[in-house]
């Protein structure tokens, strides 16, 4: 029973940490592309407060208070902070949505929770899957647009982020005992759900859409701890878990093929892949050059115990779990999400990679 509680606790933390990645569009990109709004779908990577507002569990979690948010906001994340980053959450009903809306929900999945339940996979955090977020988006546009043509005109200078999403579908399955092969069988339907989401946002009038892939999860402390093995062949040259990274690559490969088909289906839209995998890989391999402590690339800043400063039973935010003195020297913040410096550097890599692909000058 204690082990089960620890696993469920890890899933909740995996999904509810509102420590978002800076979106792959910084000020320079916005100036060049002249985006007027950003519309975000996704999970904890980009949730700016929806889970905290929709769920008593989220509102009461350790992740709505320090140490989460201390390096970005110098305050706690969630509604207790002075303000939310970049985009206002859809569930923040009194917010100004002039510059776009964040529909993402921490803990959300690409597949409906009912579909996962049919595979004996519990979604323990939220029922607000990708389809629910798309329904919220439709409701929002129905209230702000006067018909399809008006919406298309208003949204022609917007950026749509469809993801990152799908990671939790695999996270929940893995930590609930599914094998890698069983999880791989989910990939086609997860990718199909993401592709259908792209179709829906284009139907609303989206012209430019970024669809991010998954991270090399086998390099993250939570997985290195949860799936630690004495079998040296399970690890690659970077001491990351080979099979878990291959799972991410499998998802990303199928996702990129789907994006290629979508671009053929919608020749008047630009749909491009957000390469989170290679952005992180560059960060990881360049750690010492970028100012990180090369000896701690797989250790979390906020955590306790074990080879990776991470424990499923004593995770960041729990009582008496320490925080490292200088988070800028580490890549991993809590064993699941990255430090603010790591995300900032990943953002710079992503901007350079995405900017030519978005073909902004063709549309301005």
């Amino acid at each position: 029973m204690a082990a089960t509680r620890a696993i469920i606790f890890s899933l909740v933390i995996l999904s509810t940490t509102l420590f978002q990645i800076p979106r792959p569009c910084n000020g320079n990109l916005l100036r060049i592309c002249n985006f007027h709004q950003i519309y975000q779908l996704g999970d904890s990577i980009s949730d700016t407060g929806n889970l905290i507002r929709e769920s008593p569990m989220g509102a009461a979690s350790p992740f709505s208070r320090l140490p989460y948010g201390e390096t970005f906001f110098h305050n706690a994340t969630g509604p207790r902070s002075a303000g939310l980053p970049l985009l206002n959450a859809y569930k923040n009903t009194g917010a100004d949505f002039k510059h776009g809306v964040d529909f993402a929900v921490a803990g959300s999945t690409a597949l409906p929770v009912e579909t996962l339940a049919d595979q004996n996979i519990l979604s323990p955090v939220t029922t607000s899957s990708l389809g629910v977020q798309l329904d919220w988006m439709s409701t929002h546009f129905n209230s702000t647009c006067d018909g399809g043509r008006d919406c298309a005109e208003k949204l022609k200078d917007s950026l749509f982020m469809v993801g990152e999403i799908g990671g939790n579908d695999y996270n929940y399955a893995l930590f609930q005992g599914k094998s890698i092969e069983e999880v791989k069988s989910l990939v086609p339907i997860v990718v199909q759900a993401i592709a259908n989401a792209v179709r829906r946002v284009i139907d609303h009038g989206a012209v430019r859409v970024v669809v991010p892939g998954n991270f090399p999860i086998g390099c993250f402390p939570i997985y290195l701890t949860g799936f630690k093995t004495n079998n040296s062949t399970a690890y690659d040259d970077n001491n990351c878990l080979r099979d878990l990274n291959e799972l991410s690559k499998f998802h990303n490969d199928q996702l990129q093929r789907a994006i290629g088909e979508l671009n053929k289906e919608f020749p008047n839209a630009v749909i491009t892949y957000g390469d989170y995998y290679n952005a992180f890989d560059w960060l990881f391999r360049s750690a010492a050059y970028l100012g990180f402590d090369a000896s701690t690339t797989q250790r979390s800043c906020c955590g306790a115990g074990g080879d990776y400063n991470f424990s499923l039973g004593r995770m960041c935010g729990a009582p008496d779990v320490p925080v490292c003195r200088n988070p800028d020297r580490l890549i991993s913040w809590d064993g699941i999400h990255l430090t603010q410096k790591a995300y900032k550097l990943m953002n710079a890599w992503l901007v350079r990679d995405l900017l030519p692909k978005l073909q902004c000058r063709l549309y301005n």
Side-chain angles (χ1 to χ4, degrees):
M1 182 63 71
T4 301
R5 284 198 300 269
I7 290 172
I8 295 298
F9 183 55
S10 72
L11 292 174
V12 171
I13 292 188
L14 184 66
S15 309
T16 57
T17 306
L18 304 179
F19 200 93
Q20 84 179 61
I21 183 170
R23 290 174 181 76
C25 48
N26 64 8
N28 291 331
L29 179 58
L30 287 173
R31 283 197 294 271
I32 294 170
C33 292
N34 196 29
F35 291 134
H36 294 168
Q37 299 92 18
I38 301 173
Y39 295 99
Q40 174 80 56
L41 302 159
D43 57 21
S44 66
I45 301 298
S46 46
D47 181 357
T48 58
N50 284 314
L51 179 72
I52 287 175
R53 287 179 169 85
E54 76 161 12
S55 165
M57 180 177 65
S61 73
F63 322 112
S64 59
R65 57 181 182 269
L66 293 173
Y68 288 97
E70 70 175 22
T71 57
F72 188 86
F73 308 109
H74 305 291
N75 205 335
T77 51
R80 295 176 183 83
S81 65
L84 293 169
L86 299 178
L87 295 180
N88 283 317
Y90 175 73
K91 287 292 185 178
N92 185 1
T93 53
D96 180 1
F97 296 131
K98 179 172 62 176
H99 299 297
V101 186
D102 184 8
F103 300 99
V105 182
S108 65
T109 53
L111 298 175
V113 295
E114 297 83 4
T115 301
L116 290 171
D118 289 342
Q119 302 288 328
N120 295 314
I121 300 167
L122 171 68
S123 182
V125 178
T126 180
T127 60
S128 297
S129 63
L130 181 57
V132 173
Q133 295 174 35
L134 287 162
D135 290 342
W136 292 348
M137 180 179 283
S138 295
T139 299
H140 175 74
F141 290 145
N142 287 339
S143 69
T144 57
C145 298
D146 184 17
R149 183 173 297 181
D150 181 57
C151 228
E153 179 63 26
K154 287 180 176 178
L155 298 177
K156 67 179 182 180
D157 295 318
S158 299
L159 175 66
F160 283 75
M161 298 290 297
V162 181
E164 185 271 337
I165 192 75
N168 284 326
D169 301 66
Y170 309 140
N171 297 335
Y172 297 151
L174 288 165
F175 277 93
Q176 291 172 36
K178 300 290 185 183
S179 69
I180 292 285
E181 290 306 313
E182 287 175 310
V183 176
K184 278 188 174 181
S185 71
L186 294 174
V187 172
I189 57 174
V190 166
V191 169
Q192 186 61 51
I194 297 169
N196 288 339
V198 173
R199 292 184 176 95
R200 283 188 64 177
V201 301
I202 290 175
D203 187 57
H204 283 301
V207 175
R208 276 160 291 181
V209 184
V210 175
V211 188
N214 205 353
F215 292 85
I217 59 174
C219 299
F220 284 46
I222 184 172
Y223 293 100
L224 289 164
T225 300
F227 298 97
K228 186 177 180 180
T229 175
N230 292 325
N231 180 6
S232 61
T233 64
Y235 297 88
D236 62 18
D237 293 342
N238 294 317
N239 295 314
C240 300
L241 286 163
R242 192 186 307 275
D243 285 350
L244 289 172
N245 281 355
E246 288 300 319
L247 171 63
S248 291
K249 289 179 182 178
F250 184 65
H251 167 88
N252 293 342
D253 288 346
Q254 292 211 18
L255 184 61
Q256 289 177 81
R257 284 197 288 272
I259 291 170
E261 293 301 314
L262 286 165
N263 275 304
K264 294 176 185 176
E265 186 178 343
F266 300 101
N268 294 322
V270 175
I271 310 158
T272 190
Y273 174 68
D275 195 354
Y276 286 8
Y277 190 103
N278 281 312
F280 179 87
D281 187 65
W282 164 79
L283 179 82
F284 190 81
R285 293 175 184 273
S286 308
Y289 172 77
L290 295 170
F292 296 104
D293 181 348
S295 68
T296 64
T297 54
Q298 293 177 322
R299 290 176 61 83
S300 63
C301 167
C302 180
D307 294 338
Y308 307 103
N309 197 38
F310 181 89
S311 169
L312 290 172
R314 290 189 66 212
M315 298 178 72
C316 185
D320 301 321
V321 172
V323 178
C324 66
R325 181 171 296 179
N326 186 1
D328 284 351
R329 294 283 287 159
L330 281 81
I331 290 175
S332 177
W333 163 247
D334 59 0
I336 304 155
H337 300 81
L338 309 187
T339 59
Q340 189 60 30
K341 178 182 175 180
Y343 277 139
K344 181 179 179 180
L345 290 167
M346 270 191 65
N347 179 66
W349 189 99
L350 287 161
V351 166
R352 290 192 298 271
D353 185 60
L354 283 170
L355 184 54
K357 299 174 184 177
L358 286 169
Q359 303 175 33
C360 294
R361 295 185 185 277
L362 297 179
Y363 288 89
N364 291 312

